Amino acid sequence: MEISEKEYLELKEQVRQLQLKVEGVSSPPKDLHSRVSETPISHVRNVKDDTPVFDYLHLASDDAWIAFVKLAKVIHKPSDKFYMDKTNIGFGTGERPYIRSYRCGETPRKITEMSEEQIQVSIDMLNELIPIYNKYFQKTHETVLYSENNDGVYKQVNVFRVEQGE
């Protein structure tokens, strides 16, 4: 019996939630990496030392992951506050109503400063965005240049997804 990737990810999350309950943890961890269903691809790597077999590597310390964490925080920046004011229409012609705003909060600096509800919203967003990023990363990195003898002569070698095998 085969299941879709979406069903697999939902089951994986259910298992994680059950593990947390079994371990007696009252609140989930405040890190995003362990709670997203997929992490962004960081780069292409060679899988075997003696054969040109390449696949995609996912690291939590690369630029893509850092950008996603920043997005996960910045969506929780509070909205401005708005108020009715007046503005001059022109010299000697009077005033008219005009809505102004002012900033009323900052983006959370750390994930640990966010509530569990905020973290869950961020996780939901990342679970939608990261697969899109990975899709386009793979599209733009389908091959790598490989030189058999390091003689400056390169040929294109296909990159395989980890889940496809070698």
Side-chain angles (χ1 to χ4, degrees), residues 85-90 92-98:
D85 198 6
K86 293 181 180 173
T87 187
N88 289 328
I89 296 173
T93 58
E95 297 179 327
R96 66 179 174 101
Y98 186 79

Side-chain angles (χ1 to χ4, degrees), residues 31-60:
D31 74 337
L32 296 176
H33 189 263
S34 68
R35 296 181 62 188
V36 294
S37 56
E38 181 177 351
T39 53
I41 298 170
S42 56
H43 62 278
V44 176
R45 68 173 177 164
N46 189 40
V47 178
K48 296 185 176 184
D49 290 336
D50 58 345
T51 309
V53 177
F54 302 93
D55 73 358
Y56 302 102
L57 184 63
H58 302 251
L59 288 179

Side-chain angles (χ1 to χ4, degrees), residues 11-160:
L11 290 172
K12 183 178 169 185
E13 177 60 18
Q14 287 176 1
V15 167
R16 191 189 69 76
Q17 291 291 339
L18 289 172
Q19 286 174 330
L20 288 173
K21 287 181 182 178
V22 167
E23 294 168 2
V25 177
S26 61
S27 63
K30 288 262 186 176
D31 74 337
L32 296 176
H33 189 263
S34 68
R35 296 181 62 188
V36 294
S37 56
E38 181 177 351
T39 53
I41 298 170
S42 56
H43 62 278
V44 176
R45 68 173 177 164
N46 189 40
V47 178
K48 296 185 176 184
D49 290 336
D50 58 345
T51 309
V53 177
F54 302 93
D55 73 358
Y56 302 102
L57 184 63
H58 302 251
L59 288 179
S61 60
D62 79 313
D63 293 339
W65 178 248
I66 292 167
F68 280 113
V69 170
K70 187 171 183 174
L71 278 175
K73 292 186 285 188
V74 79
I75 63 168
H76 299 291
K77 181 179 179 181
S79 295
D80 293 349
K81 288 187 177 178
F82 298 88
Y83 62 96
M84 183 59 73
D85 198 6
K86 293 181 180 173
T87 187
N88 289 328
I89 296 173
F91 183 71
T93 58
E95 297 179 327
R96 66 179 174 101
Y98 186 79
I99 297 176
R100 298 185 188 275
S101 67
Y102 61 91
R103 305 271 182 248
C104 62
E106 298 296 322
T107 301
R109 298 180 111 208
K110 299 177 181 178
I111 299 298
T112 55
E113 295 174 1
M114 295 166 44
S115 69
E116 183 57 33
E117 293 78 20
Q118 289 175 316
I119 291 172
Q120 190 56 54
V121 167
S122 293
I123 290 168
D124 293 344
M125 177 190 71
L126 293 178
N127 282 337
E128 289 183 43
L129 292 177
I130 291 172
I132 295 168
Y133 169 85
N134 285 347
K135 172 186 171 183
Y136 287 97
F137 186 97
Q138 290 171 354
K139 251 185 172 173
T140 59
H141 297 84
E142 292 177 340
T143 62
V144 293
L145 295 175
Y146 170 71
S147 176
E148 185 78 34
N149 301 315
N150 197 18
D151 56 4
V153 177
Y154 291 87
K155 65 177 182 176
Q156 287 191 337
V157 177
N158 288 331
V159 178
F160 299 95

